[in-house]
Amino acid sequence: MTKSLFRAAAAATVAAALIGLSTPASAQSDVQVAWNVGVVSDYVFRGFSQTGEDPAIQGGVDLTSGAFYAGAWASNVDFGDDTDAEIDVYGGYRTEAGGFALDFGVIGYLYAGEPDGADYNYAEFKAAASRAVGPATFGAAVYYSPDFFGVDDEATYAEVNAAFSPADKWTISGAVGKQWLNVTDDYTTWNAGVGYALTDKIGVDVRYYDTDVDGVPGAEDRVVGAIKLAF
């Protein structure tokens, strides 16, 4: 499948999910809508800065109906060219089995202002599982793209993560992930941080990011602060 056809298929999948959630009058009362907006001192994705190590304003909307969900999210980006925003659209299905929370979905990453021939837009399939053990939650996720960002084609990202709540309103969390790429070099990334709920709608997070990539400024270790409002 060519990249343009794959993007169209992914977009159609998410659009169908959004239409399915929002159209039927009989189901509208079952749809839950949640909005979020936030500011981060640096938008870091899998260990790499997406904003030239500058701050970002981000926001999104999530629609949930039973086990199905869909949504969209956006952030400013800076790749040193005319690209100025990332817009993600996604949809999926969440369920439980054997005490594990399961999440299966597809995500489309779209870039506003993408230069001609840049080939930034792509889609990924996601499978994730997590389990709560007392005040802790342990999880793992795998993402697969048949036609990835830039020069890379097939790409797989796998991650293990954990979160722990030592006290009311506090959360300590971290993750370790591996990105496999078929053209550029594979790499490992990790992060760890502390979050605090200022209110039931406002939270702050301070997080350390790093990778095993050498000599690339956007992949060097850094501490990122974030504040997010959910409503």
Side-chain angles (χ1 to χ4, degrees), residues 7 36 211:
R7 291 174 191 156
N36 65 84
T211 73

Side-chain angles (χ1 to χ4, degrees), residues 186-201:
D186 303 339
Y187 70 92
T188 300
T189 181
W190 54 92
N191 69 79
V194 177
Y196 181 74
L198 295 172
T199 71
D200 59 348
K201 297 184 181 299

Side-chain angles (χ1 to χ4, degrees), residues 24-36:
S26 62
Q28 285 183 358
S29 60
D30 296 330
V31 176
Q32 296 181 344
V33 181
W35 300 84
N36 65 84

